[in-house]
Every structure is written in C-alpha cells, then in structure tokens.
Amino acid sequence: METIELMLDNQNQLNNSYDKQGYFVIRDYFDASEISSLRKVILKFHELWKSDNKIFYQEEAFNSSLITGSQYLAVDDRIKLFNFISSKKIMDLVNSLIPTNPAFMNTQLFFNPVNPKQKDFWHRDCQYDHDVDVQKQVIHETQVLHLRIPLFDELGIELVPGTHKRWDNDEEFDVRQEVKGRVSSENLSNGKKISLAAGDLLLFSADMIHRGLYGLDRLALDILVFDSAANFVDYVDDDCLPDISMLDKIDDPSLFINTLHLKENS
Ligand SMILES: O=C(O)CCC(=O)C(=O)O
C-alpha cells in the first residue's frame, strides 16, 4: 500500500475508534526531543504556579489551567507552547475529527495531589456545568476533545468506553454522582485503564465517564479543543490566546484564529 493510503487508513481507524469508543491512544507519537522541549516549558510554568498557589497546591489541587496565559510564562515560551499545540501532529488529528473550524479552548496540567488521602474520581466534564437532565442531552451533542500528552510515564486515565454516546448505567450513575451511599472513587466494572508513557498521546471525549489515575510522577498536559459550531466560546479565557503580534510566529495559527473570530462575534 502507498504511504499516503496507509496514513489515511490509520486515520480512519482512529476516527472509527473515537466514534465508537470515545477515545484512542497513539503510542510513541512524540519523540524524546519533542517531549523534552515541551517538558522544559511546562516545568517552568508548574514551579511558578506551585509557589504562587502554595496552600491550594498543598491542600487540594490536582490540576492547573491556562498554561498558555501570560501570568507565568514569557512570550517566547508561550509561542513555543502555541506552536506545539498547533503542530502538524496535533492538527492532523484535530482536523480529522473536527474538519470545519476547530477552535482552541484551553490547556490543563494534571499532577498528583499532595494529600495522599485524595482519591481519583469518576466524572463527566459536563457534570460541573449542568444538572442531570441537561447532562443527558449534552452527551448527544458536540463534545470537547481532550488531547492528553504525558510528560512522564504515568498510570494514565481510566475511562468507560462508549459513554460519550450513552447515558450511565445504575452503577456508573450512583458512583459518579455519589448517591445511594456510593463514592466517586470506587471502581467501576466497565472501567478500562489506559496507562501512558511520555511520548504517547491519548485523545478522548471530555463528556465520557473517566478519571485520572494518581501515581508515579504524573505531569500531563491536556489540550482542549472544540467545534466552532458548538457553543463553548464563553469557556475561553482571553489571556490564554496568542496576542495578534504573536500570530505570525505561529506556523499554523488557524486553531487560535478560529477562537479569536468566535470571541469577536460573541
Ligand atoms: O487526570 C485527572 O486527574 C483527571 C483528568 C480529567 O478529568 C480530564 O482531563 O478531564
């Protein structure tokens, strides 16, 4: 088979997997030098963020966000991050799943909570914005894509395949919503653990049932992307977007330009 056909075939398999299961993983997608330059920028952010958020970090945090913002990183590091986020490797996947005007939403950084009693917990991202009746609807609408890039080997993510398109069974609902005496850190019988190594990429739907697995030295960058046709622009913080002056230093700024256009028209 010609290389181009092989690539298309792989991409179709990935799209099918996302469509049916709500996720896919690509092993060794990034080489050591790509990960090491990304890690350098992210660790700079992380150290500054931790010293600025000491109490929150010590007591309850398991993630930070707005990594591309101006609070902790200087312009040159932000440009490196914008170029990584919109690199060909990422955009090939994003464009294939969202062919028309995919838009950048945010970034998050996931790490281990300091408090060893803090347990990893099942959730759908939409449950923090909507009550149960609306959650039942939104899982059938356009969903936000999470692209997880682990910077160190980690236990990864546990997810329930197919729940991007279906409502919870009783066990999933009771555990995730913590009703009938259940708690969100209990094991689910349909959970599938995806352990990840530095260099892998996991793409999953934010609204499927999932939890991060705490342990090892986890530090994972999550990139969040949405379809411009969906109503998510209010979730975007202006400061995590590139300034106009940065756009010509980004090889393919379309992901950010799409968000900037949505902002202008909102
Ligand atoms: O890794 C975690 O702690 C949770 C990950 C998660 O919930 C997410 O990426 O939406």
Side-chain angles (χ1 to χ4, degrees), residues 22-131:
Y23 76 98
F24 58 73
V25 56
I26 312 181
R27 302 287 174 196
D28 294 323
Y29 197 48
F30 301 104
D31 63 34
S33 78
E34 287 168 315
I35 292 297
S36 120
S37 15
L38 181 63
R39 201 186 278 140
K40 221 184 256 172
V41 177
I42 296 295
L43 282 173
K44 215 182 276 182
F45 174 94
H46 191 45
E47 292 310 314
L48 292 168
W49 182 90
K50 280 195 295 188
S51 65
D52 210 20
N53 293 275
K54 277 197 184 80
I55 297 174
F56 179 51
Y57 176 63
Q58 288 298 327
E59 292 182 354
E60 58 179 310
F62 56 91
N63 73 359
S64 55
S65 63
L66 307 174
I67 326 299
T68 58
S70 61
Q71 198 175 355
Y72 300 112
L73 291 181
V75 169
D76 56 338
D77 281 330
R78 294 179 65 204
I79 289 171
K80 280 185 199 156
L81 267 187
F82 289 128
N83 269 312
F84 178 82
I85 291 166
S86 57
S87 61
K88 181 167 167 19
K89 282 189 181 176
I90 301 274
M91 291 311 295
D92 280 351
L93 304 174
V94 167
N95 284 326
S96 166
L97 289 168
I98 308 176
T100 313
N101 297 334
F104 173 75
M105 179 183 278
N106 198 356
T107 44
Q108 295 174 313
L109 195 56
F110 287 91
F111 45 80
N112 290 321
V114 173
N115 178 354
K117 293 204 180 100
Q118 227 168 297
K119 298 270 191 292
D120 33 36
F121 57 97
W122 292 104
H123 62 283
R124 295 181 188 267
D125 282 10
C126 61
Q127 77 187 61
Y128 304 109
D129 294 315
H130 302 298
D131 63 23

Side-chain angles (χ1 to χ4, degrees), residues 62 108 110 123 125 146 148 156-157 204 206 210-214 218 222:
F62 56 91
Q108 295 174 313
F110 287 91
H123 62 283
D125 282 10
H146 269 241
R148 167 160 292 212
I157 292 267
F204 66 102
H210 65 279
R211 64 171 168 177
L213 296 171
Y214 303 160
R218 83 174 194 141
D222 273 31

